[in-house]
Amino acid sequence: SLPLVQARIWSNWSHILFTIAFLTASASAAAAALVWKNILIRKFKAWIHKILKEEGYVEQGKPSIPDTTEAVRAVTAEVVKTTQEMLKSRNEERREHHSFVKAFESEMQELKSSLKQLSASLNANRTEQELLKENVQLTNAHEHESSPVVS
């Protein structure tokens, strides 16, 4: 009976904690929506209005709705054009980077092959030098053995 009572108590506490978490999340979401609506949207509208004034689509005061619609279309077209130019530039940079990487890899392969050839050449020279040393030692030993012993 005691475990059943503990399970019910735990169940009640978990429900309470879940409810508190849910209410906190809901309150946070509502606060975020209010911040978005009251601050960010106003700033975005002010930014668009500023651009419209700078571009000459709006005279003093607030623009009429048809003027605003036309101006927003023009601004949107400019944004799309700028975005396309940025994408085109980025693609060109990607191609240049790719060709640079290929050239770099080619140079690395040439350097590796040159190093392998140099290493093989050095090993061949070492082998020749070792053979010469052995030959000199054998010759010296042979001469030493064949020389008459003077007493």
Side-chain angles (χ1 to χ4, degrees), residues 83-148:
T83 304
Q84 287 174 343
E85 289 174 0
M86 288 172 56
L87 288 174
K88 184 179 176 182
S89 163
R90 187 172 179 197
N91 286 338
E92 288 174 9
E93 287 176 358
R94 230 184 243 155
R95 275 188 238 117
E96 289 174 4
H97 177 71
H98 185 68
S99 65
F100 173 75
V101 168
K102 276 189 167 186
F104 182 74
E105 288 174 350
S106 173
E107 287 293 321
M108 287 297 293
Q109 289 301 325
E110 288 180 28
L111 284 173
K112 284 181 182 179
S113 68
S114 296
L115 283 173
K116 284 181 183 178
Q117 290 174 353
L118 182 61
S119 177
S121 174
L122 286 174
N123 287 337
N125 286 342
R126 282 188 193 141
T127 305
E128 286 178 14
Q129 288 176 355
E130 289 172 1
L131 288 174
L132 285 172
K133 283 182 184 178
E134 286 178 19
N135 193 11
V136 167
Q137 287 174 354
L138 286 175
T139 305
N140 287 341
H142 185 63
E143 286 176 1
H144 200 54
E145 288 176 4
S146 63
S147 65

Side-chain angles (χ1 to χ4, degrees), residues 12-26:
N12 288 338
W13 278 104
S14 64
H15 286 296
I16 290 170
L17 290 174
F18 178 75
T19 304
I20 290 171
F22 181 75
L23 291 174
T24 304
S26 298

Side-chain angles (χ1 to χ4, degrees), residues 17-71:
L17 290 174
F18 178 75
T19 304
I20 290 171
F22 181 75
L23 291 174
T24 304
S26 298
S28 296
L34 286 174
V35 166
W36 178 261
K37 181 183 175 202
N38 291 335
I39 296 173
L40 298 176
I41 300 257
R42 284 185 187 166
K43 286 187 178 188
F44 185 66
K45 285 180 180 179
W47 177 72
I48 289 178
H49 190 55
K50 178 183 166 192
I51 290 175
L52 293 176
K53 276 186 177 180
E54 288 175 357
E55 295 294 324
Y57 293 108
V58 177
E59 299 298 325
Q60 295 297 334
K62 291 189 174 186
S64 64
I65 291 179
D67 291 341
T68 304
T69 304
E70 195 61 37

